[in-house]
Amino acid sequence: MPDAYRRRLGPLLALLPFGAAGAWIAYSRLGIDHHRRMPPPLPGRQECLSSDAGGLTFYASGPEAGVPLLLIHSVNAAANAYEVRPLYLHYAKVRPVYALDLPGFGFSERSDRVYTPELMTAAIRAMTAEIRRRHGGAAIDAVALSLSAEFLARAAIERPGDYRSLGLISPTGFDKRFERRNPSGSDTARAIAANPLWGRALFDLLVSRPSMRFFLEKTWGSRAIDEGLLEYDQISAHQPGAELAPFSFLAGHLFATETGRVYPRLDRPVWMLHGTRGDFVDYRHADRFRGDPGWTIDVLETGAFPHFERLPEVAARYDAFLARLGR
């Protein structure tokens, strides 16, 4: 290759990444539909609730009689109430069931703000208060997935009388974070990720179908993911403002809870369930609670969403826990 040609080619090759980035930004703005029609993730009544955490959307089904059950989805790039769908459909046959879209997700308000554990906890408090108002003030059962287990635990510490029991499925915070003070997140990281020039394009890469399938396979610890969840996540992630809460999550703002000071303070009966496959199996500090009479800990050979894989067993374990409450 002649030296003159090489000297000209070098700068052009150096510009290729910038050209590719510019092309993707343009494609994100002009070629990707960010207003996809989104049906409700769950059957039953879809309702709205004004709260200190902003506008919330929730779903309700089942008979009027019985102890109400609140189901709370996890937090990730495309989280929404579809994540609790198997439990919602199962328990709506026998008891009043509610499922919440947390702030920044699903049909709930997706405004441009920093999403924090305090905000999520406020949403759970508001939803719980609304359910109790509808059912004569009785304490409720609540089940939360993954990171939302930390928010539910905080809500139960603040208002223990609101809850008859707590269910934690694949809860976070039993790993190395249990014993250390956690940072409050990086405003700089969030600002960089959410830059109006490239923020939406960056998020579109994160929630592309191949990327989303990859992360769900890591959650399942298997390639046999739930295809319905993948399809709904694709729709939910392609809505106006869908990137805003995930950017707070990626910047660490939603991991500010000090779990070692939260979980031990729970004084409601706790049912904890986790799987053994995938990237979310570090429960090194769960043994601290195995001898606690207030805690019931079950383990299944599943990924982090065991209710999608083995619903009958999950329901049987949870029902057995509730039966032991003796109420």
Side-chain angles (χ1 to χ4, degrees):
M1 180 183 296
D3 289 343
Y5 184 73
R6 185 182 295 110
R7 285 195 297 271
R8 293 178 181 177
L9 182 60
L12 291 175
L13 291 174
L15 291 173
L16 281 178
F18 297 99
W24 178 256
I25 291 173
Y27 177 71
S28 170
R29 291 186 177 181
L30 302 175
I32 296 179
D33 183 2
H34 297 123
H35 296 79
R36 294 179 60 178
R37 189 186 71 81
M38 187 164 72
L42 302 170
R45 304 183 304 278
Q46 181 182 23
E47 302 185 49
C48 297
L49 176 67
S50 296
S51 76
D52 292 341
L56 303 175
T57 295
F58 65 94
Y59 312 89
S61 188
E64 289 293 323
V67 178
L69 171 64
L70 171 61
L71 302 171
I72 307 164
H73 65 77
S74 74
V75 175
N76 55 67
N80 57 76
Y82 195 105
E83 293 179 353
V84 301
R85 184 179 175 88
L87 293 169
Y88 180 91
L89 296 178
H90 176 80
Y91 283 106
K93 300 172 184 176
V94 295
R95 62 188 298 185
V97 178
Y98 296 82
L100 172 67
D101 276 330
L102 287 170
F105 297 100
F107 283 90
S108 287
E109 181 181 327
R110 301 198 194 202
S111 55
D112 190 358
R113 51 184 168 168
V114 176
Y115 291 79
T116 64
E118 291 75 19
L119 181 70
M120 299 301 186
T121 302
I124 294 172
R125 285 200 311 264
M127 186 71 252
T128 299
E130 176 64 15
I131 296 171
R132 296 188 70 200
R133 183 188 68 79
R134 296 182 177 203
H135 293 271
I140 73 169
D141 296 322
V143 175
L145 306 184
S146 192
L147 182 59
S148 294
E150 298 183 30
F151 311 146
L152 175 60
R154 289 170 62 107
I157 289 170
E158 294 173 7
R159 297 183 182 179
D162 284 356
Y163 303 94
R164 182 179 76 147
S165 72
L166 307 173
L168 315 177
I169 296 181
S170 301
T172 56
F174 289 88
D175 55 6
K176 59 186 179 182
R177 289 199 302 120
F178 188 90
E179 290 188 321
R180 74 182 187 192
R181 183 179 178 85
N182 304 302
S184 59
S186 169
D187 291 331
T188 300
R190 182 184 180 277
I192 292 173
N195 186 289
L197 179 61
W198 59 71
R200 184 71 216 206
L202 177 65
F203 185 70
D204 283 335
L205 277 175
L206 182 65
V207 297
S208 66
R209 185 175 293 273
S211 175
M212 195 172 288
R213 181 177 290 278
F214 171 77
F215 284 110
L216 284 175
E217 288 179 359
K218 290 168 74 69
T219 299
W220 253 254
S222 166
R223 298 182 68 180
I225 65 171
D226 186 85
E227 297 294 335
L229 176 60
L230 173 61
E231 292 303 320
Y232 195 84
D233 283 354
Q234 278 285 292
I235 297 172
S236 184
H238 291 86
Q239 302 297 317
E243 74 276 15
L244 298 172
F247 281 156
S248 287
F249 172 65
L250 294 173
H253 287 292
L254 285 162
F255 288 93
T257 54
E258 297 177 54
T259 57
R261 299 183 182 183
V262 174
Y263 290 131
R265 294 170 58 195
L266 294 174
D267 66 354
R268 304 290 90 182
V270 177
W271 175 67
M272 174 176 165
L273 171 68
H274 69 84
T276 59
R277 296 197 316 263
D279 280 13
F280 308 101
V281 293
D282 186 351
Y283 293 96
R284 67 185 75 174
H285 292 288
D287 286 341
R288 295 170 180 251
F289 301 91
R290 291 190 187 278
D292 190 320
W295 284 67
T296 298
I297 301 178
D298 288 324
V299 181
L300 292 176
E301 293 182 4
T302 66
F305 281 8
H307 50 297
F308 277 92
E309 297 184 61
R310 295 166 67 171
L311 176 63
E313 287 186 62
V314 171
R317 302 288 184 98
Y318 184 49
D319 291 345
F321 160 75
L322 293 177
R324 290 194 293 272
L325 297 183
R327 303 178 189 177

